[in-house]
Amino acid sequence: MNIFASILLASEEHDPAHSVHWLWPEKAELIYGTISSLLIFGLLWKFAGPAIVNAMAARTERIQGELDASAAAKTSAESEAAGIRQAAGDIDSERQRLFAEADAQAEALLVDGRARLEQEVAELNARAEADIASAGGRVNDELRAEISRLSNVATERVLAGGLIDAATQQDLIEAFISKVGAS
Amino acid sequence: MSDARIDGYARALFEIARAEGTIDEVEDELFRFARSYESSDALRNALTDEMIPAGKRQAIVEDLLGGKATATTTQLVSMVVGSGRGRDLPAIIDKLVERASSSKNLEVAEVRSAVALTDDQQDRLKAALANATGKAVNLKVIVDPSILGGIVATVGDSVIDGSVRTRVDQLKSRL
């Protein structure tokens, strides 16, 4: 309340040595201030302007370089991505090829193994049949040999027992003489 | 012994027997003795043993043949054994028989039979062999029980085998 009252009081008490408006400075100060400001701005424009322009240009150039680098990096990245995608595609096709080759080899192995197994089975069968035939032949041979041996023994025993009596002996002699005489 | 020496001994024995006029008998007796000699290991060993003195071996011969063969036969065998040629006695005698047969234009027919042959059978067999071979034969019969039955006749290089032993062997072979 006291502050507002003071301000109102001051506004009502107008002084020509002072500013024409309470918000503005005094005239001289305004003039000097304006000149000083213009001088400062001029000096700034004269001496600091080129540096600022250069700095801005350098910044612009740097930003452009960064943009260019980013574009190059993007291009490179895209190229690399394309390469990776191509490599991925190649890997996929290589994988497909390897799978196909593995399948073919597995199939070939299966076919070969099956053929070999069939051949081995055939050989085993043939060998088994040969063994059976051989065993059969051996048994037959042994049987024949045994029959022969027994026959020999029987023959010798019969002959030792005097099967050929005197009459038979004479018959044999007469038969021989007749046979020789007739020849 | 070489063939020449065997032939020489055979010729000498043959000439002695012929000179004595007993060639047929001597030949026959010698042939029988040779077959006995071949079939008897004991006799062969006794007459060929160099450890036995020649006189002893000759005594064995005279004991064996004395009274059973002619004196000429006994003396001829004794001479061969005494001269240390007992091992070649069968070959010498076979050569002698062959020579004697040749002198009569006969072929030696060696006949093995399991039993002795009668004179009639020998005559018919001789005729049959002569008919079969086309040659007159001098039949020499050997009783050989090992052939079991039948007859085996050998005339020169020809063998006519009708023995039971051979048939049995063939049967065994077939079995």
Side-chain angles (χ1 to χ4, degrees):
Chain A
M1 187 69 173
N2 289 333
I3 293 172
F4 280 113
S6 300
I7 291 170
L8 288 174
L9 185 60
S11 63
E12 287 176 355
E13 296 174 355
H14 179 69
D15 184 3
H18 290 81
S19 172
V20 295
H21 191 273
W22 63 274
L23 194 60
W24 290 60
E26 294 176 4
K27 284 180 182 178
E29 188 180 352
L30 185 64
I31 292 166
Y32 296 141
T34 301
I35 292 168
S36 299
S37 295
L38 290 173
L39 189 62
I40 288 168
F41 276 117
L43 287 173
L44 281 174
W45 183 262
K46 174 80 175 172
F47 296 106
I52 292 169
V53 168
N54 287 337
M56 291 301 288
R59 182 170 174 273
T60 302
E61 188 177 355
R62 184 174 53 81
I63 290 170
Q64 185 61 47
E66 287 178 357
L67 286 174
D68 291 343
S70 295
K74 182 185 175 188
T75 304
S76 174
E78 284 174 354
S79 173
E80 197 170 342
I84 290 169
R85 277 194 295 274
Q86 184 178 358
D90 290 345
I91 288 169
D92 190 49
S93 67
E94 181 67 12
R95 188 182 61 189
Q96 295 295 333
R97 191 185 65 76
L98 286 174
F99 281 160
E101 193 175 332
D103 286 346
Q105 284 182 354
E107 184 66 25
L109 279 174
L110 278 174
V111 170
D112 185 48
R114 195 176 295 122
R116 202 165 52 243
L117 276 174
E118 286 174 357
Q119 185 181 354
E120 284 178 5
V121 168
E123 284 175 0
L124 282 173
N125 280 336
R127 200 176 306 146
E129 287 176 4
D131 287 346
I132 290 168
S134 172
R138 225 173 19 249
V139 169
N140 280 341
D141 289 345
E142 288 172 2
L143 189 60
R144 199 173 293 123
E146 186 62 15
I147 289 170
S148 175
R149 190 185 67 77
L150 292 173
S151 301
N152 288 342
V153 170
T155 305
E156 292 297 337
R157 284 187 183 172
V158 167
L159 292 172
L163 178 71
I164 306 174
D165 56 18
T168 307
Q169 291 285 8
Q170 292 305 313
D171 289 344
L172 288 168
I173 291 168
E174 292 300 330
F176 181 82
I177 293 170
S178 300
K179 181 184 167 188
V180 172
S183 62
Chain B
M1 189 191 278
S2 67
D3 287 348
R5 187 167 292 177
I6 289 172
D7 197 49
Y9 268 87
R11 191 167 64 247
L13 296 185
F14 172 73
E15 294 300 339
I16 292 169
R18 192 165 66 172
E20 291 290 331
T22 55
I23 184 64
D24 290 342
E25 280 181 284
V26 168
E27 173 212 350
D28 193 55
E29 287 169 357
L30 285 174
F31 183 83
R32 292 173 193 280
F33 180 78
R35 302 290 83 80
S36 300
Y37 176 92
E38 284 176 333
S39 61
S40 170
D41 290 340
L43 178 60
R44 195 164 55 248
N45 292 335
L47 299 185
T48 56
D49 190 351
E50 299 291 336
M51 302 301 290
I52 300 174
K56 181 73 174 169
R57 288 183 304 212
Q58 288 177 313
I60 292 170
V61 171
E62 285 161 12
D63 281 348
L64 278 171
L65 296 178
K68 297 173 189 171
T70 60
T72 307
T73 300
T74 306
Q75 286 166 2
L76 290 177
V77 173
S78 177
M79 182 191 76
V80 174
V81 170
S83 63
R85 304 296 178 191
R87 202 175 302 278
D88 300 311
L89 198 53
I92 293 169
I93 290 172
D94 286 345
K95 210 73 175 172
L96 180 148
V97 171
E98 193 179 311
R99 178 175 285 275
S101 298
S102 294
S103 70
K104 291 182 281 188
N105 292 321
L106 297 175
E107 186 82 13
V108 177
E110 185 183 294
V111 171
R112 289 180 181 272
S113 172
V115 295
L117 300 181
T118 64
D119 291 341
D120 176 56
Q121 285 172 330
Q122 289 191 30
D123 290 341
R124 284 190 288 121
L125 182 56
K126 190 187 289 184
L129 289 171
N131 183 48
T133 60
K135 301 170 187 171
V137 297
N138 179 11
L139 200 67
K140 297 295 179 189
V141 179
I142 304 163
V143 176
D144 184 359
S146 70
I147 68 169
L148 300 175
I151 288 174
V152 180
T154 306
V155 183
D157 294 332
S158 302
V159 178
I160 306 169
D161 195 338
S163 68
V164 173
R165 166 56 63 192
T166 299
R167 290 182 195 176
V168 169
D169 288 343
Q170 288 173 347
L171 181 64
K172 285 179 181 175
S173 178
R174 284 172 62 188
L175 285 171

